[in-house]
Amino acid sequence: MKSLLFKRALQDILNNRFLNTVTVITIALSVLIVSSFALFFTNANELLDTWKKGIRALVYLNPETTDANRLDLKYNIQKLNGVSEARFISRKEALAQMKVQMGRQSSLLESLKPNPLPDAFEVRLSPDSQTMAAIEKLSKAIELLPHVDEVEYGRQWIGKFTNIINMLRFVGYAMGGLFLVATLFIVANTVRLLLYSRQEEIAIMRLVGTTDRFIKMPFYIQGVILGALGGIIGMSGLYFAFWFVSEKFHRGLSAELLDIHFLPLDVTAGIIVGSMIIGWIGCYLSLKQFLKA
Amino acid sequence: MKCHDDALIRLFHVYKRYGAKNALFDISLDIFKNEFLFLTGPSGAGKSTLLKLLYLGESLSEGQILIDRMNLARVSRKRAPELRRKLGIIFQDYKLIPTKTVYENVSLVLEARGMSHKFIQKKVHSVLRTVGMEKRKKSFPPGLSGGEQQKVAVARAVVGEPKIILADEPTGSLDADSAGTIFDLLTNIHARGATVLVATHDAELIRSAKGRVIQLKEGKVVAE
Ligand SMILES: Nc1ncnc2c1ncn2[C@@H]1O[C@H](COP(=O)(O)OP(=O)(O)OP(=O)(O)O)[C@@H](O)[C@H]1O
Ligand SMILES: [Mg+2]
């Protein structure tokens, strides 16, 4: 009985090939667009996370700081909430690092005598407080400690990047909502057209005692099948596009720099299920209106 | 005279108006369980209209109709399927679904009642055999003659073994032989306990049966 219903729904879809194809393509396009936003955000978030892992603050010391003061300060910093480690970087070490970083131009530094760099602590955060808010708060706290000249951290650009992502996320939600409504509308319209084309049949079925539930069932099955097809095709399209782009990327840039992934399996499945649910709701809207009459 | 409570179908001062026209005028009628009843009268007398009121195909303008304790004047449309499942209806214009095969048209009734696939297959074939349409089970109604369509309509009405049969000109398009077959089928169902209501102006049919005859004219009962 169940498989019979399914077979009939497929038959119905084939009987209205044009209408159903258009509907499936529309659903697929919506799914493609919405899921490409999802793909972008998951990768952007991952990227942001790896960058945030490198979050550290540099605490520059007052030139008059004695060795004893320094030990006190180190103790005081490590006592603070969210600090995992405070490593001392002497001015000598800092200069040596700088020379390595500058490579051939390091000869410029030779003329700098005395060494202009201050002593510093490199403060790393414990994993659970690697957020912009945490590091900002921490920096303020460290600035208040004695012998601290200045605290520096990579706030500016990570903060900006986060803001851009958040703004895009908003656009993504808005677009997602818009496509959701549009898809719903299109599915509902398809079902309405199917209903009109079968008006006589439905009227007769009612006369011989079938319940509305029985009449609705094939439409729901059809709606869910359309949703599933649209979802699967949309996600396949996205996968293909992703594969194509990442191939190019990997050839051009080093793989480690931009390590992008496709959506996880559960999200992919979730999007397809969501598209089936849209098919169902689209049916629901049309049937509710139609069968009242 | 039987007691009123025995009536399976009760019409109490029933009116049906289409605009200013009275299609039915003050009809009161009790139909008892397992009765075989003929509704007769000239064209436009209101026979079909009366049957339509009984299956909620139309709503009545005034009065009360009780079928199996269901008050049709008050019942919500939601309960129409419940009522219609007690009825086997043969429509004057057959009302077969043109896009479904003969087999599907008949099996639909049982599918809607949630019967098993096997049972449906057996039952539908047996009924189609009885009305002589088994060979055409894969045909679509528009490809059938009027008489053949009528046989399918009869098969669909009886396949669910309903308590009540409402037949509107069930032999209207049939030759004498086929009409005889259909009539035997209705008699058979009646013998198994069903209440049968036949609207017809086929005098031959009425004469050959022993049922009660109600004569309508211009929406009124003129003879019983
Ligand atoms: N939907 C309608 N709108 C307006 N008038 C209608 C409608 N249905 C029936 N009538 C009128 O009601 C009257 C009774 O019609 P009905 O179909 O019940 O007659 P009948 O006895 O079944 O006739 P026949 O023997 O030709 O089938 C007719 O005069 C008809 O014109
Ligand atoms: Mg009639």
Side-chain angles (χ1 to χ4, degrees):
Chain A
M1 191 67 204
K2 291 265 161 56
S3 68
L4 196 69
L5 275 175
F6 189 75
K7 238 186 259 166
R8 275 197 199 150
L10 278 181
Q11 192 58 51
D12 283 342
I13 289 176
L14 288 179
N15 286 345
N16 290 287
R17 226 161 296 151
F18 179 73
L19 183 61
N20 286 307
T21 306
V22 170
T23 309
V24 167
I25 290 174
T26 321
I27 298 174
L29 283 176
S30 299
V31 166
L32 180 66
I33 290 165
V34 171
S35 61
S36 47
F37 267 98
L39 182 61
F40 174 76
F41 288 124
T42 43
N43 278 298
N45 273 344
E46 240 168 68
L47 215 57
L48 212 56
D49 277 349
T50 43
W51 287 342
K52 275 184 186 163
K53 283 217 182 76
I55 286 183
R56 56 183 194 147
L58 284 175
V59 179
Y60 297 112
L61 305 189
N62 203 306
E64 283 92 56
T65 315
T66 65
D67 284 1
N69 291 339
R70 213 179 67 214
L71 284 175
D72 272 355
L73 183 60
K74 179 170 178 158
Y75 173 75
N76 282 331
I77 292 175
Q78 277 177 337
K79 230 174 41 185
L80 290 171
N81 245 345
V83 172
S84 83
E85 192 200 359
R87 192 173 71 88
F88 180 64
I89 301 173
S90 71
R91 39 198 308 211
K92 260 193 218 143
E93 196 184 329
L95 190 67
Q97 259 183 26
M98 206 170 187
K99 277 182 181 162
V100 171
Q101 277 170 7
M102 291 181 74
R104 271 193 287 142
Q105 280 128 10
S106 65
S107 54
L108 285 176
L109 297 176
E110 298 298 335
S111 56
L112 291 176
K113 272 174 191 163
N115 178 354
L117 299 176
D119 285 336
F121 278 111
E122 184 193 58
V123 177
R124 292 197 172 271
L125 306 186
S126 54
D128 52 332
S129 47
Q130 283 169 348
T131 64
M132 287 318 293
I135 197 168
E136 234 163 312
K137 210 173 116 198
L138 202 62
S139 301
K140 292 227 171 79
I142 294 174
E143 255 167 10
L144 296 178
L145 294 174
H147 312 295
V148 173
D149 238 10
E150 204 187 342
V151 180
E152 201 182 87
Y153 59 95
R155 168 182 49 190
Q156 290 81 5
W157 67 273
I158 289 189
K160 254 183 212 147
F161 190 74
T162 309
N163 282 344
I164 291 173
I165 294 278
N166 282 341
M167 214 169 70
L168 281 179
R169 193 188 310 264
F170 182 75
V171 174
Y173 284 142
M175 294 276 276
L178 213 67
F179 277 99
L180 189 92
V181 172
T183 312
L184 259 181
F185 180 77
I186 283 156
V187 173
N189 203 48
T190 302
V191 173
R192 195 182 0 256
L193 288 174
L194 290 177
L195 280 167
Y196 276 116
S197 74
R198 298 172 61 176
Q199 217 163 5
E200 185 190 2
E201 177 182 341
I202 290 170
I204 295 174
M205 284 171 84
R206 286 175 136 180
L207 282 177
V208 299
T210 58
T211 55
D212 282 358
R213 227 176 71 127
F214 182 86
I215 294 170
K216 285 173 186 170
M217 190 61 80
F219 289 100
Y220 278 127
I221 294 176
Q222 226 173 310
V224 170
I225 290 176
L226 292 183
L229 285 177
I232 289 168
I233 293 172
M235 290 311 285
S236 307
L238 182 70
Y239 187 79
F240 185 74
F242 170 80
W243 175 81
F244 188 76
V245 168
S246 62
E247 266 312 87
K248 289 230 147 149
F249 252 118
H250 278 242
R251 247 176 250 151
L253 290 157
S254 80
E256 290 79 40
L257 194 63
L258 268 178
D259 187 19
I260 52 177
H261 306 276
F262 194 65
L263 293 169
L265 203 63
D266 54 344
V267 175
T268 306
I271 289 176
I272 292 173
V273 169
S275 144
M276 289 162 85
I277 291 174
I278 287 180
W280 193 90
I281 298 175
C283 275
Y284 172 80
L285 294 176
S286 274
L287 286 168
K288 202 176 130 178
Q289 188 192 19
F290 188 86
L291 290 181
K292 237 190 307 181
Chain B
M1 187 71 200
K2 289 184 195 174
C3 168
H4 281 322
D5 294 339
D6 279 354
L8 183 61
I9 303 173
R10 285 201 73 181
L11 285 86
F12 190 74
H13 301 296
V14 168
Y15 290 76
K16 177 64 191 176
R17 282 184 279 271
Y18 288 111
K21 182 182 169 55
N22 276 307
L24 291 174
F25 188 90
D26 196 20
I27 307 269
S28 291
L29 182 64
D30 284 350
I31 301 166
F32 298 94
K33 200 161 180 293
N34 200 217
E35 239 191 317
F36 201 119
L37 184 94
F38 286 105
L39 277 176
T40 186
S43 254
K47 305 181 293 294
S48 298
T49 304
L50 182 61
L51 294 185
K52 277 178 194 158
L53 294 187
L54 295 183
Y55 62 77
L56 285 172
E58 293 277 0
S59 51
L60 62 172
S61 308
E62 222 175 287
Q64 306 278 331
I65 298 180
L66 282 168
I67 297 186
D68 206 12
R69 271 173 254 111
M70 192 186 270
N71 186 341
L72 301 196
R74 295 228 207 108
V75 78
S76 96
R77 298 291 291 187
K78 276 209 186 103
R79 289 183 67 196
E82 186 191 326
L83 169 74
R84 288 170 184 164
R85 276 159 192 231
K86 294 176 185 168
L87 311 175
I89 314 169
I90 302 163
F91 302 93
Q92 190 167 12
D93 53 353
Y94 320 134
K95 292 210 190 302
L96 299 176
I97 299 171
T99 52
K100 287 190 189 291
T101 63
V102 165
Y103 179 90
E104 287 166 344
N105 264 282
V106 178
S107 68
L108 174 71
V109 176
L110 299 178
E111 271 169 25
R113 285 161 175 70
M115 306 290 191
S116 80
H117 188 58
K118 266 222 177 94
F119 173 82
I120 292 175
Q121 232 170 7
K122 231 175 78 187
K123 185 82 191 166
V124 173
H125 278 119
S126 127
V127 171
L128 285 178
R129 202 175 311 126
T130 313
V131 299
M133 286 300 291
E134 203 191 10
K135 287 210 184 81
R136 305 299 303 272
K137 66 177 182 184
K138 287 187 176 144
S139 309
F140 290 89
L144 301 176
S145 76
E148 287 169 330
Q149 291 187 40
Q150 187 147 42
K151 289 178 190 171
V152 179
V154 172
R156 183 181 61 189
V158 300
V159 73
E161 298 184 5
K163 271 182 155 179
I164 302 167
I165 296 273
L166 304 178
D168 201 348
E169 301 287 1
T171 57
S173 313
L174 298 177
D175 59 86
D177 250 18
S178 303
T181 311
I182 297 303
F183 189 67
D184 288 346
L185 190 64
L186 292 179
T187 326
N188 202 335
I189 285 187
H190 174 245
R192 279 194 267 163
T195 306
V196 181
L197 200 57
V198 181
T200 183
H201 29 217
D202 183 345
E204 187 61 39
L205 187 69
I206 296 171
R207 215 172 303 129
S208 66
K210 303 180 276 296
R212 181 151 69 116
V213 180
I214 304 283
Q215 196 154 5
L216 290 177
K217 196 179 174 194
E218 288 168 3
K220 293 176 199 143
V221 178
V222 290
E224 184 167 346

